[in-house]
PDB file of all heavy atoms in Angstrom:
ATOM      1  N   THR A 367     -32.463  13.349 -94.627  1.00  0.00           N
ATOM      2  CA  THR A 367     -31.755  12.075 -94.621  1.00  0.00           C
ATOM      3  C   THR A 367     -31.127  11.826 -95.989  1.00  0.00           C
ATOM      4  O   THR A 367     -31.259  12.631 -96.908  1.00  0.00           O
ATOM      5  CB  THR A 367     -32.722  10.922 -94.313  1.00  0.00           C
ATOM      6  OG1 THR A 367     -33.593  10.753 -95.450  1.00  0.00           O
ATOM      7  CG2 THR A 367     -33.548  11.216 -93.070  1.00  0.00           C
ATOM      8  N   MET A 368     -30.457  10.687 -96.130  1.00  0.00           N
ATOM      9  CA  MET A 368     -29.876  10.348 -97.416  1.00  0.00           C
ATOM     10  C   MET A 368     -30.958  10.105 -98.468  1.00  0.00           C
ATOM     11  O   MET A 368     -30.737  10.319 -99.657  1.00  0.00           O
ATOM     12  CB  MET A 368     -28.989   9.110 -97.278  1.00  0.00           C
ATOM     13  CG  MET A 368     -27.849   9.289 -96.271  1.00  0.00           C
ATOM     14  SD  MET A 368     -26.843  10.758 -96.574  1.00  0.00           S
ATOM     15  CE  MET A 368     -26.042  10.307 -98.097  1.00  0.00           C
ATOM     16  N   THR A 369     -32.137   9.651 -98.057  1.00  0.00           N
ATOM     17  CA  THR A 369     -33.239   9.505 -99.010  1.00  0.00           C
ATOM     18  C   THR A 369     -33.597  10.852 -99.609  1.00  0.00           C
ATOM     19  O   THR A 369     -33.901  10.966-100.795  1.00  0.00           O
ATOM     20  CB  THR A 369     -34.466   8.890 -98.317  1.00  0.00           C
ATOM     21  OG1 THR A 369     -34.104   7.626 -97.773  1.00  0.00           O
ATOM     22  CG2 THR A 369     -35.613   8.710 -99.296  1.00  0.00           C
ATOM     23  N   ASP A 370     -33.546  11.893 -98.803  1.00  0.00           N
ATOM     24  CA  ASP A 370     -33.835  13.239 -99.295  1.00  0.00           C
ATOM     25  C   ASP A 370     -32.744  13.751-100.233  1.00  0.00           C
ATOM     26  O   ASP A 370     -32.926  14.767-100.904  1.00  0.00           O
ATOM     27  CB  ASP A 370     -34.009  14.198 -98.115  1.00  0.00           C
ATOM     28  CG  ASP A 370     -35.124  13.769 -97.188  1.00  0.00           C
ATOM     29  OD1 ASP A 370     -36.223  13.502 -97.692  1.00  0.00           O
ATOM     30  OD2 ASP A 370     -34.893  13.675 -95.974  1.00  0.00           O
ATOM     31  N   MET A 371     -31.597  13.062-100.239  1.00  0.00           N
ATOM     32  CA  MET A 371     -30.528  13.400-101.178  1.00  0.00           C
ATOM     33  C   MET A 371     -30.626  12.570-102.454  1.00  0.00           C
ATOM     34  O   MET A 371     -29.711  12.555-103.272  1.00  0.00           O
ATOM     35  CB  MET A 371     -29.153  13.192-100.531  1.00  0.00           C
ATOM     36  CG  MET A 371     -28.890  14.126 -99.364  1.00  0.00           C
ATOM     37  SD  MET A 371     -27.282  13.839 -98.564  1.00  0.00           S
ATOM     38  CE  MET A 371     -26.162  14.532 -99.771  1.00  0.00           C
ATOM     39  N   GLY A 372     -31.748  11.858-102.615  1.00  0.00           N
ATOM     40  CA  GLY A 372     -31.948  11.102-103.854  1.00  0.00           C
ATOM     41  C   GLY A 372     -31.337   9.734-103.844  1.00  0.00           C
ATOM     42  O   GLY A 372     -31.114   9.155-104.900  1.00  0.00           O
ATOM     43  N   MET A 373     -31.085   9.170-102.645  1.00  0.00           N
ATOM     44  CA  MET A 373     -30.489   7.842-102.560  1.00  0.00           C
ATOM     45  C   MET A 373     -31.495   6.818-102.065  1.00  0.00           C
ATOM     46  O   MET A 373     -31.109   5.787-101.511  1.00  0.00           O
ATOM     47  CB  MET A 373     -29.271   7.887-101.637  1.00  0.00           C
ATOM     48  CG  MET A 373     -28.185   8.814-102.143  1.00  0.00           C
ATOM     49  SD  MET A 373     -26.757   8.833-101.047  1.00  0.00           S
ATOM     50  CE  MET A 373     -25.753  10.105-101.818  1.00  0.00           C
ATOM     51  N   GLY A 374     -32.772   7.118-102.272  1.00  0.00           N
ATOM     52  CA  GLY A 374     -33.801   6.196-101.802  1.00  0.00           C
ATOM     53  C   GLY A 374     -33.727   4.842-102.458  1.00  0.00           C
ATOM     54  O   GLY A 374     -34.193   3.838-101.902  1.00  0.00           O
ATOM     55  N   GLY A 375     -33.157   4.775-103.674  1.00  0.00           N
ATOM     56  CA  GLY A 375     -33.074   3.509-104.385  1.00  0.00           C
ATOM     57  C   GLY A 375     -32.129   2.521-103.749  1.00  0.00           C
ATOM     58  O   GLY A 375     -32.094   1.354-104.148  1.00  0.00           O
ATOM     59  N   MET A 376     -31.382   2.949-102.760  1.00  0.00           N
ATOM     60  CA  MET A 376     -30.434   2.037-102.120  1.00  0.00           C
ATOM     61  C   MET A 376     -31.058   1.235-101.000  1.00  0.00           C
ATOM     62  O   MET A 376     -30.427   0.405-100.378  1.00  0.00           O
ATOM     63  CB  MET A 376     -29.228   2.818-101.590  1.00  0.00           C
ATOM     64  CG  MET A 376     -28.419   3.448-102.705  1.00  0.00           C
ATOM     65  SD  MET A 376     -26.850   4.089-102.153  1.00  0.00           S
ATOM     66  CE  MET A 376     -25.978   2.585-101.742  1.00  0.00           C
ATOM     67  N   GLU A 377     -32.345   1.523-100.726  1.00  0.00           N
ATOM     68  CA  GLU A 377     -33.040   0.669 -99.773  1.00  0.00           C
ATOM     69  C   GLU A 377     -34.452   0.437-100.274  1.00  0.00           C
ATOM     70  O   GLU A 377     -35.003   1.233-101.014  1.00  0.00           O
ATOM     71  CB  GLU A 377     -33.098   1.296 -98.380  1.00  0.00           C
ATOM     72  CG  GLU A 377     -34.042   2.479 -98.265  1.00  0.00           C
ATOM     73  CD  GLU A 377     -34.321   2.825 -96.822  1.00  0.00           C
ATOM     74  OE1 GLU A 377     -33.613   2.336 -95.946  1.00  0.00           O
ATOM     75  OE2 GLU A 377     -35.261   3.579 -96.591  1.00  0.00           O
ATOM     76  N   SER A 378     -35.013  -0.667 -99.928  1.00  0.00           N
ATOM     77  CA  SER A 378     -36.367  -0.956-100.383  1.00  0.00           C
ATOM     78  C   SER A 378     -37.320   0.056 -99.792  1.00  0.00           C
ATOM     79  O   SER A 378     -37.239   0.396 -98.630  1.00  0.00           O
ATOM     80  CB  SER A 378     -36.772  -2.358 -99.950  1.00  0.00           C
ATOM     81  OG  SER A 378     -36.716  -2.481 -98.545  1.00  0.00           O
ATOM     82  N   GLY A 379     -38.260   0.525-100.609  1.00  0.00           N
ATOM     83  CA  GLY A 379     -39.226   1.499-100.131  1.00  0.00           C
ATOM     84  C   GLY A 379     -38.752   2.906-100.258  1.00  0.00           C
ATOM     85  O   GLY A 379     -39.486   3.775-100.684  1.00  0.00           O
ATOM     86  N   GLY A 380     -37.537   3.161 -99.924  1.00  0.00           N
ATOM     87  CA  GLY A 380     -36.989   4.495-100.094  1.00  0.00           C
ATOM     88  C   GLY A 380     -37.657   5.550 -99.265  1.00  0.00           C
ATOM     89  O   GLY A 380     -37.682   6.701 -99.636  1.00  0.00           O
ATOM     90  N   THR A 381     -38.162   5.175 -98.124  1.00  0.00           N
ATOM     91  CA  THR A 381     -38.905   6.173 -97.370  1.00  0.00           C
ATOM     92  C   THR A 381     -38.340   6.412 -95.981  1.00  0.00           C
ATOM     93  O   THR A 381     -38.941   7.115 -95.206  1.00  0.00           O
ATOM     94  CB  THR A 381     -40.378   5.755 -97.224  1.00  0.00           C
ATOM     95  OG1 THR A 381     -40.426   4.512 -96.534  1.00  0.00           O
ATOM     96  CG2 THR A 381     -41.026   5.618 -98.578  1.00  0.00           C
ATOM     97  N   HIS A 382     -37.213   5.852 -95.685  1.00  0.00           N
ATOM     98  CA  HIS A 382     -36.715   6.004 -94.327  1.00  0.00           C
ATOM     99  C   HIS A 382     -35.288   6.518 -94.330  1.00  0.00           C
ATOM    100  O   HIS A 382     -34.624   6.566 -95.341  1.00  0.00           O
ATOM    101  CB  HIS A 382     -36.797   4.657 -93.599  1.00  0.00           C
ATOM    102  CG  HIS A 382     -38.165   4.071 -93.611  1.00  0.00           C
ATOM    103  ND1 HIS A 382     -39.221   4.626 -92.931  1.00  0.00           N
ATOM    104  CD2 HIS A 382     -38.668   3.010 -94.282  1.00  0.00           C
ATOM    105  CE1 HIS A 382     -40.316   3.924 -93.142  1.00  0.00           C
ATOM    106  NE2 HIS A 382     -40.014   2.944 -93.966  1.00  0.00           N
ATOM    107  N   ASP A 383     -34.865   6.811 -93.144  1.00  0.00           N
ATOM    108  CA  ASP A 383     -33.493   7.269 -93.004  1.00  0.00           C
ATOM    109  C   ASP A 383     -32.542   6.181 -93.490  1.00  0.00           C
ATOM    110  O   ASP A 383     -32.753   4.995 -93.304  1.00  0.00           O
ATOM    111  CB  ASP A 383     -33.214   7.579 -91.526  1.00  0.00           C
ATOM    112  CG  ASP A 383     -31.962   8.418 -91.392  1.00  0.00           C
ATOM    113  OD1 ASP A 383     -31.131   8.443 -92.304  1.00  0.00           O
ATOM    114  OD2 ASP A 383     -31.829   9.053 -90.349  1.00  0.00           O
ATOM    115  N   MET A 384     -31.465   6.616 -94.127  1.00  0.00           N
ATOM    116  CA  MET A 384     -30.507   5.664 -94.670  1.00  0.00           C
ATOM    117  C   MET A 384     -29.422   5.393 -93.640  1.00  0.00           C
ATOM    118  O   MET A 384     -28.247   5.700 -93.855  1.00  0.00           O
ATOM    119  CB  MET A 384     -29.918   6.218 -95.961  1.00  0.00           C
ATOM    120  CG  MET A 384     -30.954   6.536 -97.012  1.00  0.00           C
ATOM    121  SD  MET A 384     -31.650   5.060 -97.742  1.00  0.00           S
ATOM    122  CE  MET A 384     -30.216   4.446 -98.609  1.00  0.00           C
ATOM    123  N   ALA A 385     -29.799   4.849 -92.522  1.00  0.00           N
ATOM    124  CA  ALA A 385     -28.815   4.630 -91.475  1.00  0.00           C
ATOM    125  C   ALA A 385     -27.661   3.778 -91.976  1.00  0.00           C
ATOM    126  O   ALA A 385     -26.494   4.015 -91.662  1.00  0.00           O
ATOM    127  CB  ALA A 385     -29.488   3.957 -90.277  1.00  0.00           C
ATOM    128  N   GLY A 386     -27.982   2.783 -92.806  1.00  0.00           N
ATOM    129  CA  GLY A 386     -26.949   1.908 -93.310  1.00  0.00           C
ATOM    130  C   GLY A 386     -25.976   2.600 -94.223  1.00  0.00           C
ATOM    131  O   GLY A 386     -24.847   2.143 -94.425  1.00  0.00           O
ATOM    132  N   MET A 387     -26.401   3.712 -94.829  1.00  0.00           N
ATOM    133  CA  MET A 387     -25.540   4.432 -95.754  1.00  0.00           C
ATOM    134  C   MET A 387     -24.247   4.865 -95.086  1.00  0.00           C
ATOM    135  O   MET A 387     -23.210   4.965 -95.714  1.00  0.00           O
ATOM    136  CB  MET A 387     -26.255   5.662 -96.302  1.00  0.00           C
ATOM    137  CG  MET A 387     -27.314   5.352 -97.336  1.00  0.00           C
ATOM    138  SD  MET A 387     -26.548   4.799 -98.859  1.00  0.00           S
ATOM    139  CE  MET A 387     -25.609   6.264 -99.267  1.00  0.00           C
ATOM    140  N   ASP A 388     -24.340   5.132 -93.815  1.00  0.00           N
ATOM    141  CA  ASP A 388     -23.171   5.659 -93.129  1.00  0.00           C
ATOM    142  C   ASP A 388     -21.997   4.701 -93.233  1.00  0.00           C
ATOM    143  O   ASP A 388     -20.864   5.087 -93.412  1.00  0.00           O
ATOM    144  CB  ASP A 388     -23.530   5.920 -91.667  1.00  0.00           C
ATOM    145  CG  ASP A 388     -22.418   6.661 -90.957  1.00  0.00           C
ATOM    146  OD1 ASP A 388     -21.766   7.511 -91.588  1.00  0.00           O
ATOM    147  OD2 ASP A 388     -22.224   6.386 -89.772  1.00  0.00           O
ATOM    148  N   ARG A 389     -22.303   3.435 -93.152  1.00  0.00           N
ATOM    149  CA  ARG A 389     -21.233   2.444 -93.198  1.00  0.00           C
ATOM    150  C   ARG A 389     -20.963   1.998 -94.629  1.00  0.00           C
ATOM    151  O   ARG A 389     -19.815   1.820 -95.018  1.00  0.00           O
ATOM    152  CB  ARG A 389     -21.628   1.238 -92.344  1.00  0.00           C
ATOM    153  CG  ARG A 389     -21.790   1.573 -90.874  1.00  0.00           C
ATOM    154  CD  ARG A 389     -22.141   0.343 -90.071  1.00  0.00           C
ATOM    155  NE  ARG A 389     -23.427  -0.222 -90.476  1.00  0.00           N
ATOM    156  CZ  ARG A 389     -24.585   0.201 -89.997  1.00  0.00           C
ATOM    157  NH1 ARG A 389     -24.612   1.178 -89.110  1.00  0.00           N
ATOM    158  NH2 ARG A 389     -25.704  -0.331 -90.395  1.00  0.00           N
ATOM    159  N   ALA A 390     -21.987   1.836 -95.408  1.00  0.00           N
ATOM    160  CA  ALA A 390     -21.817   1.197 -96.704  1.00  0.00           C
ATOM    161  C   ALA A 390     -21.370   2.151 -97.798  1.00  0.00           C
ATOM    162  O   ALA A 390     -20.654   1.765 -98.710  1.00  0.00           O
ATOM    163  CB  ALA A 390     -23.140   0.545 -97.130  1.00  0.00           C
ATOM    164  N   ALA A 391     -21.786   3.362 -97.710  1.00  0.00           N
ATOM    165  CA  ALA A 391     -21.555   4.234 -98.851  1.00  0.00           C
ATOM    166  C   ALA A 391     -20.677   5.433 -98.557  1.00  0.00           C
ATOM    167  O   ALA A 391     -20.035   5.965 -99.451  1.00  0.00           O
ATOM    168  CB  ALA A 391     -22.897   4.725 -99.394  1.00  0.00           C
ATOM    169  N   MET A 392     -20.660   5.856 -97.313  1.00  0.00           N
ATOM    170  CA  MET A 392     -19.965   7.093 -97.026  1.00  0.00           C
ATOM    171  C   MET A 392     -18.462   6.994 -97.252  1.00  0.00           C
ATOM    172  O   MET A 392     -17.798   7.976 -97.495  1.00  0.00           O
ATOM    173  CB  MET A 392     -20.222   7.537 -95.593  1.00  0.00           C
ATOM    174  CG  MET A 392     -21.653   7.918 -95.358  1.00  0.00           C
ATOM    175  SD  MET A 392     -22.173   9.168 -96.533  1.00  0.00           S
ATOM    176  CE  MET A 392     -23.919   9.038 -96.425  1.00  0.00           C
ATOM    177  N   SER A 393     -17.944   5.787 -97.199  1.00  0.00           N
ATOM    178  CA  SER A 393     -16.507   5.647 -97.362  1.00  0.00           C
ATOM    179  C   SER A 393     -16.063   5.944 -98.776  1.00  0.00           C
ATOM    180  O   SER A 393     -14.874   6.116 -99.035  1.00  0.00           O
ATOM    181  CB  SER A 393     -16.076   4.223 -96.994  1.00  0.00           C
ATOM    182  OG  SER A 393     -16.759   3.294 -97.820  1.00  0.00           O
ATOM    183  N   SER A 394     -17.011   6.049 -99.719  1.00  0.00           N
ATOM    184  CA  SER A 394     -16.629   6.302-101.110  1.00  0.00           C
ATOM    185  C   SER A 394     -16.175   7.724-101.334  1.00  0.00           C
ATOM    186  O   SER A 394     -15.612   8.035-102.369  1.00  0.00           O
ATOM    187  CB  SER A 394     -17.794   5.974-102.045  1.00  0.00           C
ATOM    188  OG  SER A 394     -18.923   6.701-101.655  1.00  0.00           O
ATOM    189  N   GLY A 395     -16.429   8.609-100.397  1.00  0.00           N
ATOM    190  CA  GLY A 395     -15.895   9.961-100.438  1.00  0.00           C
ATOM    191  C   GLY A 395     -16.157  10.679-101.727  1.00  0.00           C
ATOM    192  O   GLY A 395     -17.288  10.969-102.088  1.00  0.00           O
ATOM    193  N   GLY A 396     -15.087  10.975-102.475  1.00  0.00           N
ATOM    194  CA  GLY A 396     -15.224  11.761-103.690  1.00  0.00           C
ATOM    195  C   GLY A 396     -16.113  11.131-104.714  1.00  0.00           C
ATOM    196  O   GLY A 396     -16.818  11.807-105.460  1.00  0.00           O
ATOM    197  N   ALA A 397     -16.113   9.791-104.788  1.00  0.00           N
ATOM    198  CA  ALA A 397     -16.983   9.126-105.750  1.00  0.00           C
ATOM    199  C   ALA A 397     -18.436   9.435-105.478  1.00  0.00           C
ATOM    200  O   ALA A 397     -19.231   9.651-106.390  1.00  0.00           O
ATOM    201  CB  ALA A 397     -16.733   7.617-105.705  1.00  0.00           C
ATOM    202  N   MET A 398     -18.787   9.475-104.205  1.00  0.00           N
ATOM    203  CA  MET A 398     -20.157   9.795-103.853  1.00  0.00           C
ATOM    204  C   MET A 398     -20.506  11.219-104.261  1.00  0.00           C
ATOM    205  O   MET A 398     -21.560  11.492-104.830  1.00  0.00           O
ATOM    206  CB  MET A 398     -20.355   9.627-102.343  1.00  0.00           C
ATOM    207  CG  MET A 398     -21.763   9.988-101.863  1.00  0.00           C
ATOM    208  SD  MET A 398     -22.998   8.878-102.543  1.00  0.00           S
ATOM    209  CE  MET A 398     -22.688   7.424-101.545  1.00  0.00           C
ATOM    210  N   GLU A 399     -19.583  12.137-104.014  1.00  0.00           N
ATOM    211  CA  GLU A 399     -19.838  13.519-104.387  1.00  0.00           C
ATOM    212  C   GLU A 399     -20.054  13.629-105.882  1.00  0.00           C
ATOM    213  O   GLU A 399     -20.936  14.309-106.369  1.00  0.00           O
ATOM    214  CB  GLU A 399     -18.679  14.397-103.954  1.00  0.00           C
ATOM    215  CG  GLU A 399     -18.918  15.880-104.221  1.00  0.00           C
ATOM    216  CD  GLU A 399     -17.788  16.726-103.696  1.00  0.00           C
ATOM    217  OE1 GLU A 399     -16.846  16.170-103.139  1.00  0.00           O
ATOM    218  OE2 GLU A 399     -17.872  17.945-103.842  1.00  0.00           O
ATOM    219  N   HIS A 400     -19.197  12.896-106.656  1.00  0.00           N
ATOM    220  CA  HIS A 400     -19.363  12.918-108.093  1.00  0.00           C
ATOM    221  C   HIS A 400     -20.742  12.392-108.474  1.00  0.00           C
ATOM    222  O   HIS A 400     -21.430  12.929-109.330  1.00  0.00           O
ATOM    223  CB  HIS A 400     -18.258  12.078-108.743  1.00  0.00           C
ATOM    224  CG  HIS A 400     -18.451  11.894-110.219  1.00  0.00           C
ATOM    225  ND1 HIS A 400     -18.217  12.914-111.114  1.00  0.00           N
ATOM    226  CD2 HIS A 400     -18.882  10.831-110.932  1.00  0.00           C
ATOM    227  CE1 HIS A 400     -18.472  12.474-112.345  1.00  0.00           C
ATOM    228  NE2 HIS A 400     -18.880  11.220-112.253  1.00  0.00           N
ATOM    229  N   GLY A 401     -21.171  11.303-107.791  1.00  0.00           N
ATOM    230  CA  GLY A 401     -22.449  10.699-108.123  1.00  0.00           C
ATOM    231  C   GLY A 401     -23.624  11.589-107.836  1.00  0.00           C
ATOM    232  O   GLY A 401     -24.692  11.410-108.414  1.00  0.00           O
ATOM    233  N   MET A 402     -23.461  12.571-106.947  1.00  0.00           N
ATOM    234  CA  MET A 402     -24.552  13.474-106.622  1.00  0.00           C
ATOM    235  C   MET A 402     -24.736  14.567-107.668  1.00  0.00           C
ATOM    236  O   MET A 402     -25.640  15.377-107.548  1.00  0.00           O
ATOM    237  CB  MET A 402     -24.296  14.123-105.252  1.00  0.00           C
ATOM    238  CG  MET A 402     -24.315  13.149-104.080  1.00  0.00           C
ATOM    239  SD  MET A 402     -25.889  12.304-103.902  1.00  0.00           S
ATOM    240  CE  MET A 402     -26.948  13.685-103.500  1.00  0.00           C
ATOM    241  N   ARG A 403     -23.858  14.611-108.662  1.00  0.00           N
ATOM    242  CA  ARG A 403     -24.020  15.625-109.714  1.00  0.00           C
ATOM    243  C   ARG A 403     -23.499  15.059-111.042  1.00  0.00           C
ATOM    244  O   ARG A 403     -22.674  15.670-111.723  1.00  0.00           O
ATOM    245  CB  ARG A 403     -23.263  16.907-109.325  1.00  0.00           C
ATOM    246  CG  ARG A 403     -23.683  18.158-110.088  1.00  0.00           C
ATOM    247  CD  ARG A 403     -23.088  19.390-109.445  1.00  0.00           C
ATOM    248  NE  ARG A 403     -23.427  20.601-110.179  1.00  0.00           N
ATOM    249  CZ  ARG A 403     -22.663  21.133-111.124  1.00  0.00           C
ATOM    250  NH1 ARG A 403     -21.522  20.562-111.470  1.00  0.00           N
ATOM    251  NH2 ARG A 403     -23.024  22.242-111.738  1.00  0.00           N
ATOM    252  N   ASP A 404     -24.000  13.867-111.356  1.00  0.00           N
ATOM    253  CA  ASP A 404     -23.544  13.146-112.527  1.00  0.00           C
ATOM    254  C   ASP A 404     -24.254  13.689-113.768  1.00  0.00           C
ATOM    255  O   ASP A 404     -25.411  13.352-114.028  1.00  0.00           O
ATOM    256  CB  ASP A 404     -23.810  11.655-112.339  1.00  0.00           C
ATOM    257  CG  ASP A 404     -23.297  10.834-113.516  1.00  0.00           C
ATOM    258  OD1 ASP A 404     -22.704  11.442-114.445  1.00  0.00           O
ATOM    259  OD2 ASP A 404     -23.498   9.610-113.508  1.00  0.00           O
ATOM    260  N   LYS A 405     -23.566  14.512-114.528  1.00  0.00           N
ATOM    261  CA  LYS A 405     -24.173  15.159-115.687  1.00  0.00           C
ATOM    262  C   LYS A 405     -24.602  14.151-116.749  1.00  0.00           C
ATOM    263  O   LYS A 405     -25.515  14.419-117.535  1.00  0.00           O
ATOM    264  CB  LYS A 405     -23.188  16.167-116.299  1.00  0.00           C
ATOM    265  CG  LYS A 405     -22.790  17.283-115.359  1.00  0.00           C
ATOM    266  CD  LYS A 405     -21.793  18.223-116.030  1.00  0.00           C
ATOM    267  CE  LYS A 405     -21.350  19.317-115.081  1.00  0.00           C
ATOM    268  NZ  LYS A 405     -20.365  20.236-115.705  1.00  0.00           N
ATOM    269  N   SER A 406     -23.927  13.002-116.782  1.00  0.00           N
ATOM    270  CA  SER A 406     -24.247  12.026-117.824  1.00  0.00           C
ATOM    271  C   SER A 406     -25.597  11.354-117.597  1.00  0.00           C
ATOM    272  O   SER A 406     -26.113  10.687-118.497  1.00  0.00           O
ATOM    273  CB  SER A 406     -23.152  10.951-117.875  1.00  0.00           C
ATOM    274  OG  SER A 406     -23.140  10.186-116.670  1.00  0.00           O
TER     275      SER A 406
END
Side-chain angles (χ1 to χ4, degrees):
T367 70
M368 301 307 292
T369 302
D370 301 310
M371 295 178 74
M373 298 181 185
M376 295 191 68
E377 72 166 14
S378 59
T381 60
H382 305 292
D383 196 340
M384 302 288 292
M387 285 289 298
D388 189 35
R389 297 182 297 275
M392 294 305 162
S393 59
S394 55
M398 178 65 75
E399 184 176 0
H400 172 74
M402 294 300 295
R403 198 169 178 267
D404 182 2
K405 299 179 182 179
S406 66

